[in-house]
């Protein structure tokens, strides 16, 4: 029970996000209208993705320092959860963009950067699968994971800020900060970030346990 | 350390000089790629708009650089790599390879620039800025590609892996370089491009630092 408090917290936070996010009053802004609720389901995906990737990189570094495969399990599964969030982020973003900007894809710098980031991590998965030896796979995967993260951060934080983006808050578009993010939206937004990130961590840890069990079973089969 | 690096760079140069076909091959690659582009867009001299010129130029440089740098860990066989492993520090090896590949990429970029100017016309107004940008771009390309080629060489070194691993990593550098070179083509004042030059330099520094820190782990395996 003591170890499971955060799972209960996740469920409560997400229930709160779903109900409050869909039912609570939101500020009326031109163009955005009701789609401002995407803040709870789309923007939070990116926050969750970046947090999960940071955790993944942390475990990759730990792996390189210790050569212990259990850190590598964590690194790959957290990266996997982050990729899931990245894909969901792109899909929800495209849906939202269809109703606000008129197109699924409008070549917005943030959209492009997100797509490139996803490509980077798909490449990470392919690189891992192309290696057969598990120690080698873990080591080279960890190296690329850290390297890709170092390139990913300027991609999403620096480059989109240099050009005008269609995203709210950029290039003269109405932003959230300028209006009501301080009060009503924040009351759901922050819990939503925590909730989604915890859910990602939950998915990752379940998969890590599966991975470790599979390895134990394999070892037992080899040794018996 | 510095002496080690300079010796290693000399080694790369001698090696390249002994295997001239590889160098000549990549030079010919640039020229033919430019020529194919020229025929495909069907442009008479000066007919092509400058954004297109810019995009085509950088794409060709990107592909030639990927091909040129991809071989940096392949051309020497395992036994010799083991020998380097014993006599040189991994930091010196990655730095020497990055510096050498910077030179190589720069050579390709200049050659490509020359051929482009001859057959597609030269719309660049600010040569100084354009060249500075080429140098910075070559540095960034070579830092990221050298590291990625090291990774790909550990994974059986197939060309697909090299491409899919390097393209996303290189995009931030490529985008900055394309923007600066657009400014150089339009002959805008240097102050307009200053912040972009600094960001390009910063991205290069991040990538090079990451390569410098991570390479010893790769080399050890």
């Amino acid at each position: 029970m003591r170890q499971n408090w955060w799972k209960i917290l996740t469920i409560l936070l997400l229930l709160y996000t779903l109900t409050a996010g869909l039912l609570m009053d939101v500020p009326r802004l031109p163009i955005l209208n009701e789609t401002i609720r995407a803040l709870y389901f789309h923007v939070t995906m990116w926050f969750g993705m970046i947090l999960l990737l940071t955790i993944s990189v942390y475990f990759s570094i730990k792996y390189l320092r210790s050569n212990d495969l259990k850190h590598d399990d964590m690194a790959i599964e957290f990266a996997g959860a982050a990729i899931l969030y990245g894909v969901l982020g792109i899909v929800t973003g495209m849906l939202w963009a269809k109703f606000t900007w008129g197109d699924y894809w409008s070549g917005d710098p943030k959209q492009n950067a997100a797509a490139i980031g996803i490509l980077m991590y798909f490449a990470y998965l392919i690189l891992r699968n192309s290696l057969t030896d598990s120690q080698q796979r873990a080591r080279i995967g960890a190296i690329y994971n850290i390297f890709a993260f170092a390139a990913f951060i300027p991609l999403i934080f620096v480059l989109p800020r240099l050009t005008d983006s269609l995203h709210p808050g950029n290039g003269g578009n109405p932003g959230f900060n300028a209006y009501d993010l301080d009060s009503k939206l924040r009351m759901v937004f922050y819990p939503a970030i925590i909730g989604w990130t915890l859910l990602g961590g939950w998915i990752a840890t379940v998969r890590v346990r599966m991975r470790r069990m599979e390895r134990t079973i394999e070892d037992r089969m080899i040794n018996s | 350390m510095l002496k080690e690096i300079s010796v290693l760079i000399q080694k790369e140069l001698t090696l390249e000089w002994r295997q001239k076909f590889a160098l000549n091959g990549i030079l010919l690659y640039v020229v033919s790629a430019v020529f194919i582009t020229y025929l495909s867009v069907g442009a008479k001299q000066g007919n092509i708009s400058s954004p297109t010129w810019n995009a085509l130029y950088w794409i060709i440089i990107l592909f030639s650089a990927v091909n040129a740098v991809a071989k940096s860990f392949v051309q020497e066989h395992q036994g010799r790599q083991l020998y380097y492993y014993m006599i040189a520090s991994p930091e010196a090896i990655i730095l020497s390879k990055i510096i050498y590949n910077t030179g190589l990429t720069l050579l390709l970029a200049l050659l490509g620039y020359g051929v482009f100017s001859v057959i597609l016309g030269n719309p660049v107004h600010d040569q100084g800025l354009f060249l500075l940008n080429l140098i910075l771009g070559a540095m960034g390309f070579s830092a990221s590609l050298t590291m990625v080629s090291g990774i790909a060489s550990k994974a059986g070194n197939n060309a697909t892996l090299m491409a899919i691993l390097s393209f996303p990593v290189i995009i931030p550098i490529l985008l900055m370089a394309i923007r600066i070179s657009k400014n150089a083509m339009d002959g805008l004042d240097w102050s307009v491009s200053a912040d972009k030059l600094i960001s390009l330099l910063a991205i290069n520094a991040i990538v090079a630092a990451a390569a410098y820190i991570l390479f010893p782990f790769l080399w050890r395996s």
Side-chain angles (χ1 to χ4, degrees), chain B residues 66-81:
Chain B
V66 168
N67 273 299
V69 180
K71 66 177 174 53
S72 59
F73 285 93
V74 201
Q75 62 180 201
E76 299 165 57
H77 45 75
Q78 296 252 287
R80 210 186 295 166
Q81 293 211 348

Side-chain angles (χ1 to χ4, degrees), chain A residues 116 120 123 139-140 144 159, chain B residues 154 164-165 168 171 176 217 221:
Chain A
I116 297 161
M120 223 177 249
R139 173 188 293 275
I140 291 172
Y144 185 72
L159 290 185
Chain B
K154 293 286 175 190
I164 59 170
L165 292 179
I171 284 174
M176 292 314 294
F217 292 101
S221 62

Side-chain angles (χ1 to χ4, degrees), chain A residues 64-65 67 109 116-117 119-120 122-124 126-127 130-131 136 139-140 142-144 146-148 150-152 154-155 158-159 162-163, chain B residues 143-144 147-148 151-152 154-156 161 164-166 168-169 171-172 175-176 179 195-196 199 203 206-207 210-211 214 217-218 220-221:
Chain A
L64 285 183
R65 287 175 160 247
N67 276 331
I116 297 161
L119 285 183
M120 223 177 249
F122 278 150
Y124 169 63
I126 292 179
L127 171 70
S130 74
L131 294 157
Q136 178 111 346
R139 173 188 293 275
I140 291 172
I143 291 169
Y144 185 72
I146 301 170
F147 193 61
F152 181 62
L155 184 70
V158 182
L159 290 185
L162 291 176
T163 37
Chain B
S144 45
M147 185 63 197
V148 169
I151 294 176
K154 293 286 175 190
L161 206 56
I164 59 170
L165 292 179
S166 59
V169 174
I171 284 174
L175 287 181
M176 292 314 294
R179 275 190 208 136
D195 57 336
K196 295 200 177 99
S199 351
I203 298 174
I206 292 175
V207 172
L214 291 172
F217 292 101
L218 187 70
R220 216 181 284 158
S221 62

